[in-house]
């Protein structure tokens, strides 16, 4: 191989020596290679074939019961200066982390094949894309990375041209929770993961590269790597505006990315196009606007709760060429999870006879992996090398009170404060007290690869001469009434709120100015065909000044957590709002 691949070859050789792998296989991403890996996993029991009539080329993977989710407490950002990682991350010194991992990797691939996966995050010919190489001993990881990234020969050719890539090393090890780490070395553009075969811990292109390492890269290079969906809204005139939206988990991100408008909107000609459901890379274009790509090529979605009612588009793409992880199965071997109306589970996610009293059919974090191109609302603009222009950025959380259905930030600085102070309230599903507000800035708390104070400053830096920045909004689909019932129907009806946002972008809608942001007039929200009384809508769009005073005091405490790295402009913006609420 040519000189630009020398460093890659040397790294692969050094890993092979350290891990003592029996064989080294360079992945080309071909159909024939994938077929061989599937046959191998079927023979070892790593995959179980599903019903060929109802779900052709679909497979089930059952992971170890101790390996079913991300492990944030074992995830580290390893920078030379601990302050660069920030209080939002677990920190370990790079030398210490390398020594820890080298000891775990020593001889860990004896008897196993070492797979070398060249991949590209983003369209293969996009200047916004970035490449990586993951080394793994898991064929399951190879099969998933093939769906989730542009993997194989084209990616290797780009690496050869550019000579740069993110180094990811993964071994499932012994799947021992006590010998499990996910280390990030942003200054080296490197990731090391050991002891887990699960999703984000093992598919290193996903959260590890596309967010933790990429957010660090983005700051160095002048762009943004964000935990956001990208959705296109086409109006009856044929104009499409693209929206990027950040939500913490359990707030309906995938559902919004694949939204199906209400019947009246569809009849009038409104359409929704899915660019991405989880990650968004944005860069300023020559015209001053932000342009975004989805760096992923597939979806690694949560299965439980996904249904014809909540997300018909997701259901429509899961009947072929998909990998399911930790779902239940019916007697005729079709995948099944809680929330589905059709079918009856016969076995649970561990392969045991289903007994509701013992276990749910699917693990609550059960997943599906599928190519983005199978989504009915997929748009070929997801492959556009230049990305799509972003008209609006939306921040949202799960708040039972206080935060209105929608508000518009006055300007970019106010919008950054809105994102930085994003929060959700804990539910009964979480351990501990219910209703506790937890801050999750830009939905990036588990994923920012550096100090949040520096991250906020980086966001603020985009407001410069010549910039034509998106409007920023905050939404809250989860307001509850006195009886504890949701006041807003959500799902497809969120289209009604998106319409107001886009009318604000194009100067076609009014707003009421308040200290915390601009709100729609009740008459500006289209409620045709919606069973929502005027009093409820008014309450959804109301501001509780005393409640917001307390919120601003809480935000001040949160910003102080990042010390002198918190931008003065953000503190001043918060103080200005607090003064207006008195």
């Amino acid at each position: 191989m040519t000189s630009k691949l020398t460093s890659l070859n040397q790294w692969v050789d050094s890993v092979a020596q350290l891990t003592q792998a029996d064989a080294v296989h360079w992945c080309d991403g071909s159909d024939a290679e994938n077929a061989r890996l599937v046959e191998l996993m079927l023979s070892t029991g790593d995959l179980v074939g599903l019903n060929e009539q109802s779900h052709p080329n679909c497979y089930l993977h059952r992971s170890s019961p101790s390996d079913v989710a991300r492990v944030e407490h074992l995830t580290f950002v390893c920078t030379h200066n601990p302050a660069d990682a920030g209080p939002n991350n677990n920190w370990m010194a790079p030398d210490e982390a390398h020594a820890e991992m080298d000891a775990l990797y020593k001889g860990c691939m004896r008897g196993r094949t070492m797979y070398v996966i060249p991949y590209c995050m983003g369209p293969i010919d996009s200047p916004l894309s970035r490449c990586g190489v993951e080394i793994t001993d898991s064929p399951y990881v190879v099969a998933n990375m093939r769906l989730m990234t542009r993997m194989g020969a084209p990616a290797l050719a780009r690496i050869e041209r550019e000579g740069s890539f993110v180094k990811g090393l993964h071994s499932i090890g012994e799947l021992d929770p006590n010998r499990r780490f996910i280390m990030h070395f942003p200054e080296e553009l490197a990731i090391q993961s050991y002891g887990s075969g699960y999703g984000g811990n093992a598919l290193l292109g996903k959260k590890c590269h596309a967010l933790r390492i990429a957010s660090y890269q983005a700051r160095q290079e002048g762009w943004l790597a964000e935990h956001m969906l990208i959705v296109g809204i086409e109006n009856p005139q044929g104009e499409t505006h693209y929206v990027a939206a950040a939500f913490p988990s359990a707030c309906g991100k995938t559902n919004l990315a694949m939204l199906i408008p209400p019947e009246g909107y569809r009849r009038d000609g409104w359409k929704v196009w899915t660019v991405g459901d989880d990650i968004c890379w944005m860069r300023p274009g020559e015209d001053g606007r932000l342009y975004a790509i989805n760096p992923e090529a597939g979806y690694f979605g949560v299965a439980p709760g996904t249904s014809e009612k909540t997300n018909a588009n997701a259901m429509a793409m899961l009947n072929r060429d998909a990998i399911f992880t930790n779902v239940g199965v019916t007697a005729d071997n079709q995948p099944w999870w809680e929330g589905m109306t059709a079918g009856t589970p016969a076995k649970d996610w561990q392969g045991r006879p289903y007994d509701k009293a013992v276990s749910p059919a699917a693990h609550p974090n059960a997943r599906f992996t599928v190519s983005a191109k199978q989504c009915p609302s997929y748009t070929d603009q997801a492959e556009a090398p230049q990305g799509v222009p972003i008209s609006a950025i939306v921040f949202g959380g799960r708040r039972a009170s206080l935060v209105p259905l929608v508000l518009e930030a006055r300007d970019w600085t106010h919008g950054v404060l809105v994102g930085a102070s994003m929060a959700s309230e804990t539910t009964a599903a979480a351990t501990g007290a219910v209703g506790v507000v937890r801050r999750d800035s830009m939905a990036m708390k588990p994923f920012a690869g550096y100090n949040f104070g520096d991250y906020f400053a980086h966001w603020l830096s985009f407001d410069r001469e010549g910039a034509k920045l998106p409007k920023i909004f905050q939404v809250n689909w989860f307001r509850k009434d006195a009886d504890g019932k949701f006041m807003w129907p959500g799902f497809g009806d969120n289209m009604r709120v998106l319409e107001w946002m886009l009318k604000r972008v194009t100067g076609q809608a009014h707003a009421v100015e308040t200290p915390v942001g601009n709100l729609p007039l009740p008459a500006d929200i289209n409620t045709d065909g919606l069973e929502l009384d005027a009093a409820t809508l008014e309450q959804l769009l109301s501001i509780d000044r005393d409640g917001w005073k307390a919120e601003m005091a809480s935000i001040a405490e949160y910003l102080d957590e990042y010390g002198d790295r918190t931008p003065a402009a953000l503190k001043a913006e918060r103080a200005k709002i607090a003064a207006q609420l008195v």
Side-chain angles (χ1 to χ4, degrees):
M1 293 192 184
T2 60
S3 58
K4 281 207 173 177
L5 290 181
T6 299
S7 65
L8 172 56
N9 287 320
Q10 289 174 341
W11 175 57
V12 170
D13 289 345
S14 69
V15 172
Q17 288 178 15
L18 174 64
T19 61
Q20 297 175 29
D22 273 22
V24 177
H25 175 80
W26 287 73
C27 298
D28 61 16
S30 66
D31 291 345
E33 176 185 74
N34 186 62
R36 287 194 300 271
L37 288 174
V38 167
E39 283 303 314
L40 171 66
M41 288 185 280
L42 289 171
S43 69
T44 60
D46 280 341
L47 289 184
V48 175
L50 293 173
N51 188 310
E52 268 296 317
Q53 278 68 50
S54 63
H55 291 77
N57 201 29
C58 288
Y59 302 94
L60 167 64
H61 172 75
R62 294 184 176 116
S63 69
S64 165
S66 66
D67 185 31
V68 292
R70 290 197 318 270
V71 283
E72 301 302 347
H73 64 294
L74 300 173
T75 301
F76 292 83
V77 171
C78 308
T79 51
H80 286 91
N81 181 354
D84 291 339
N88 46 299
N89 284 304
N90 300 317
W91 176 82
M92 191 181 293
D95 289 350
E96 181 187 343
H98 279 301
E100 181 92 44
M101 298 305 282
D102 284 351
L104 291 170
Y105 287 133
K106 191 173 182 181
C108 72
M109 294 189 191
R110 278 193 209 104
R112 300 178 184 175
T113 296
M114 184 177 108
Y115 299 95
V116 182
I117 310 170
Y119 64 90
C120 182
M121 300 303 294
I124 199 74
D125 54 353
S126 170
L128 283 73
S129 299
R130 293 291 179 271
C131 289
V133 175
E134 176 169 1
I135 294 175
T136 181
D137 54 10
S138 166
Y140 168 78
V141 166
V142 179
N144 278 272
M145 286 289 283
R146 183 173 182 267
L147 290 170
M148 294 301 299
T149 70
R150 284 82 171 173
M151 180 267 267
L156 186 62
R158 178 163 173 163
I159 291 168
E160 184 175 354
R161 287 196 306 274
E162 296 180 340
S164 62
F165 60 95
V166 171
K167 295 179 181 176
L169 174 53
H170 166 257
S171 173
I172 57 175
E174 319 91 285
L175 292 178
D176 180 352
N178 298 312
R179 287 164 59 83
R180 181 175 293 165
F181 290 100
I182 297 92
M183 303 288 193
H184 302 77
F185 304 89
E187 293 152 347
E188 304 168 33
L189 299 185
I191 307 154
Q192 295 189 346
S193 172
Y194 184 90
S196 172
Y198 165 79
N201 305 333
L203 311 180
L204 301 187
K206 194 157 180 60
K207 308 296 191 188
C208 297
H209 178 167
L211 290 178
R212 295 192 189 98
I213 296 297
S215 63
Y216 179 90
Q217 264 186 303
R219 184 182 173 220
Q220 307 298 108
E221 300 174 4
W223 47 285
L224 289 164
E226 299 301 322
H227 187 209
M228 292 179 174
L229 65 91
I230 310 169
V231 64
I233 312 292
E234 183 180 333
N235 65 22
Q237 291 73 48
E239 302 160 335
T240 301
H241 286 275
Y242 293 92
V243 175
F247 295 84
S249 60
C251 291
K253 203 144 119 272
T254 300
N255 293 343
L256 182 59
M258 301 178 190
L259 182 144
I260 296 175
E263 185 181 350
Y265 278 82
R266 297 198 302 275
R267 195 171 51 242
D268 291 343
W270 290 84
K271 296 173 184 173
V272 172
W273 303 104
T274 307
V275 178
D277 79 323
D278 195 42
I279 300 174
C280 166
W281 288 0
M282 290 183 283
R283 182 187 294 274
E286 290 181 4
D287 61 0
R289 293 191 293 174
L290 287 183
Y291 285 80
I293 62 167
N294 168 20
E296 297 187 300
Y299 305 117
F300 183 68
V302 175
T306 303
S307 68
E308 294 293 341
K309 179 187 175 188
T310 63
N311 196 333
N313 278 332
M315 294 299 289
M317 68 183 177
L318 295 177
N319 56 7
R320 64 178 176 89
D321 304 303
I323 298 171
F324 297 90
T325 300
N326 295 337
V327 301
V329 291
T330 61
D332 62 347
N333 230 25
Q334 295 190 48
W336 196 94
W337 52 82
E338 278 66 21
M340 289 178 70
T341 51
T344 304
K347 290 183 179 178
D348 71 12
W349 63 279
Q350 295 184 59
R352 305 171 302 192
Y354 172 63
D355 182 346
K356 189 176 182 179
V358 173
S359 164
H363 186 274
N365 198 36
R367 297 279 176 158
F368 55 77
T369 318
V370 66
S371 168
K373 292 180 178 178
Q374 288 183 208
C375 182
S377 55
Y378 172 81
T379 168
D380 58 9
Q381 288 301 299
E383 294 292 332
Q386 76 276 13
V388 296
I390 299 298
S391 296
I393 290 173
V394 181
F395 296 117
R398 181 181 281 267
R399 301 292 292 266
S401 60
L402 187 72
V403 178
L405 175 64
V406 59
L407 64 80
E408 174 195 79
R410 283 182 299 276
D411 53 32
W412 186 257
T413 301
H414 180 212
V416 173
L417 178 66
V418 168
S421 58
M422 255 176 72
S424 277
E425 290 163 9
T426 54
T427 66
T431 310
V434 172
V436 176
V437 174
R438 289 182 178 166
R439 303 279 165 206
D440 187 356
S441 300
M442 282 79 165
M444 282 286 281
K445 196 165 198 320
F447 307 122
Y450 62 102
N451 189 307
F452 255 161
D454 298 336
Y455 171 82
F456 302 151
H458 182 51
W459 263 82
L460 290 171
S461 74
F462 286 83
D463 189 9
R464 49 183 175 259
E465 191 175 348
K468 297 174 184 172
L469 296 168
K471 280 186 175 289
I472 296 179
F473 298 87
Q474 181 175 28
V475 298
N476 177 25
W477 316 132
F478 301 99
R479 279 284 285 265
K480 291 183 178 179
D481 61 20
D483 296 326
K485 294 179 179 174
F486 290 118
M487 298 164 69
W488 179 251
F491 303 112
D493 286 308
N494 293 335
M495 182 74 204
R496 302 169 188 275
V497 176
L498 291 170
E499 181 188 12
W500 177 76
M501 291 181 199
L502 296 182
K503 284 184 174 178
R504 287 294 294 167
V505 167
T506 55
Q508 299 176 65
H510 302 290
V512 178
E513 294 183 11
T514 79
V516 298
N518 303 328
L519 273 72
L521 296 163
D524 287 331
I525 300 293
N526 178 358
T527 56
D528 290 351
L530 193 63
E531 293 181 12
L532 186 74
D533 61 73
T536 300
L537 182 58
E538 194 169 326
Q539 194 178 345
L540 281 166
L541 299 175
S542 65
I543 295 296
D544 170 9
R545 294 179 80 94
D546 288 339
W548 275 100
K549 284 182 199 174
E551 179 78 355
M552 285 298 141
S554 171
I555 291 170
E557 291 176 11
Y558 175 68
L559 294 177
D560 284 344
E561 291 178 21
Y562 303 100
D564 58 8
R565 297 215 180 193
T566 301
L570 218 53
K571 291 188 172 186
E573 183 69 23
R574 188 220 62 85
K576 182 173 77 176
I577 295 168
Q580 291 173 353
L581 287 164
V582 172

